[in-house]
Amino acid sequence: MLIAAARRAAPRAAPCCIGTVRTATRRAHQLPRAATTAPRRPKITTPRRSFLALPQGEALPVVGGLIGANCLVYGAWQVVDPRVMTRHFTLSNDDVLQYPHTLVTSFFSHASGWHLLGNMVTLFFFGPEAIGALGAARFLAVYGGAGL
């Protein structure tokens, strides 16, 4: 009973004060968006290719050329005399001074069809992204560095 009596006796805030605060709050929320927040920057989206779409832009000749060269050399390994291919498309300490071009041509030799397939699938999917990030010249430098 004492608690109920104390609640009845406690002074209450005037309703006009509460209404004034609410009105001020409403007015603050009714301000134009530009006055309350910084303007939004436009969303930057990079064009994405679908899962099996061909690379576009500068990636197409680079990726297509590398895949074509790798497949051509693999095909040559199947039909040309293995001694000629070993001499010109593999790298060895003894022959590098006599055949310096093998530093580059060995990039395109693969041990098996599965090896070629795995490398070309990886190149097809990751190559355009890497070229987009690095540029064609830097990508070819990384590709060449990885081949050595």
Side-chain angles (χ1 to χ4, degrees), residues 13-117:
C16 64
C17 296
I18 294 174
T20 305
V21 171
R22 285 185 182 162
T23 304
T25 305
R26 274 193 217 117
R27 285 184 190 143
H29 287 296
Q30 292 172 351
L31 291 174
R33 180 179 166 82
T36 58
T37 61
R40 289 186 179 180
R41 286 188 250 165
K43 187 175 181 181
I44 299 173
T45 58
T46 56
R48 302 238 179 227
R49 64 187 184 121
S50 65
F51 183 69
L52 290 176
L54 289 175
Q56 297 177 2
E58 68 178 343
L60 178 62
V62 174
V63 171
L66 289 173
I67 290 174
N70 280 287
C71 291
L72 186 68
V73 170
Y74 182 75
W77 272 100
Q78 306 307 311
V79 295
V80 177
D81 183 19
R83 291 176 293 190
V84 173
M85 294 304 290
T86 302
R87 188 178 309 124
H88 295 287
F89 286 91
T90 58
L91 193 58
S92 70
N93 292 336
D94 300 333
D95 293 337
V96 75
L97 294 176
Q98 186 177 3
Y99 304 108
H101 62 278
T102 59
L103 288 169
V104 175
T105 58
S106 64
F107 299 171
F108 303 103
S109 292
H110 292 84
S112 69
W114 291 110
H115 179 204
L116 174 72
L117 180 67

Side-chain angles (χ1 to χ4, degrees), residues 1-10:
M1 278 212 243
L2 291 174
I3 296 175
R7 283 186 185 163
R8 275 185 251 141

